[in-house]
Amino acid sequence: MILPKVRDPRFVTIRRGGTLTDADHRLLALWAASCAEHVLALFESARPEDPRPRQAIEHARAWVRGDVKMMEARAAGGHAMGAARDLRGAARHAAYAAGQAAVVAHVAAHELGAAAYAIKAARAAAPAGESGTAGLFECRWQRDQLPDAIRELVLDDQRLRNDICWSVFDC
C-alpha cells in the first residue's frame, strides 16, 4: 500500500478541488519517470524481450508533453505492473516502478510509488550485505533529481508516507 487512506489535497489538481497545479503534476510525472528509468535495466536484464516497463516510462513522458491521454498512460502503467507479476526481486520492483511512474498521470500521489519501488529494486540488486547502502544511494540520487518547484512537496510526502512505503525514504 503506497497511497494514504485520505488523499492529500496537495496531490489533487486544482480543477479537481485540490491545490496541485498542472505544471507541478507534470514535474511529478517526469521525476517519477526518471526514478523508474534509473533502475529499468534491472528489469530489462531479466526480460529483455518485454517492452512494457520501458513503454510505461515513455508514456509518462508522452503524457507530460501532451502526446498521449491520461488513460493511455494509465493503461501502460498497468501493463508494466503486469510484467512484474511473475518475477521476484529487483526485476519485479523495477517493473513496478515503471508502472507507478506511468500512473502518476492519473493519480499524482503515485510519484512515491515509482521512487519507493526503485529503491526496493536497488536494494534487491545489491550484493549481500550492501542492500542498505544501495538503498541510501538510490534515495539520495532521487532527491538530487527533484526539481526545486516540487522538492519540498515530495520531501514532505516522503516524510508523511515513509511508513506505508516500506520506510525506504530514511536517507
Side-chain angles (χ1 to χ4, degrees), residues 21 34 41-42 51 60 62 65 68 76 83-84 93 99 102 120 123 137 146 158:
T21 66
S34 293
L42 298 171
R65 293 188 308 269
V68 301
H93 300 314
K120 286 182 71 151
R123 286 179 174 179
F137 281 132
L146 278 167
Q158 288 180 346

Side-chain angles (χ1 to χ4, degrees), residues 40-64:
L40 182 61
L42 298 171
F43 173 82
E44 291 181 332
S45 65
R47 293 279 168 83
E49 74 289 348
D50 191 339
R52 293 177 290 177
R54 180 169 294 279
Q55 289 170 343
I57 293 167
E58 290 169 0
H59 272 76
R61 291 187 172 125
W63 173 78
V64 168

Side-chain angles (χ1 to χ4, degrees), residues 130-147:
E130 296 180 28
S131 66
T133 300
L136 286 174
F137 281 132
E138 184 63 25
C139 183
R140 290 176 184 156
W141 179 88
Q142 291 175 359
R143 287 182 178 180
D144 287 344
Q145 310 313 303
L146 278 167

Side-chain angles (χ1 to χ4, degrees), residues 85-163:
R85 287 197 179 97
D86 68 335
L87 295 172
R88 296 290 172 261
R92 179 184 179 108
H93 300 314
Y96 277 134
Q100 291 288 309
V103 299
V104 170
H106 179 246
V107 174
H110 280 290
E111 102 287 3
L112 280 197
Y117 276 114
I119 293 169
K120 286 182 71 151
R123 286 179 174 179
E130 296 180 28
S131 66
T133 300
L136 286 174
F137 281 132
E138 184 63 25
C139 183
R140 290 176 184 156
W141 179 88
Q142 291 175 359
R143 287 182 178 180
D144 287 344
Q145 310 313 303
L146 278 167
D148 288 340
I150 60 168
R151 182 175 186 74
E152 290 308 315
L153 174 64
V154 171
L155 294 178
D156 191 48
D157 195 27
Q158 288 180 346
R159 182 185 60 76
L160 291 172
R161 289 199 284 155
N162 193 37
D163 288 346

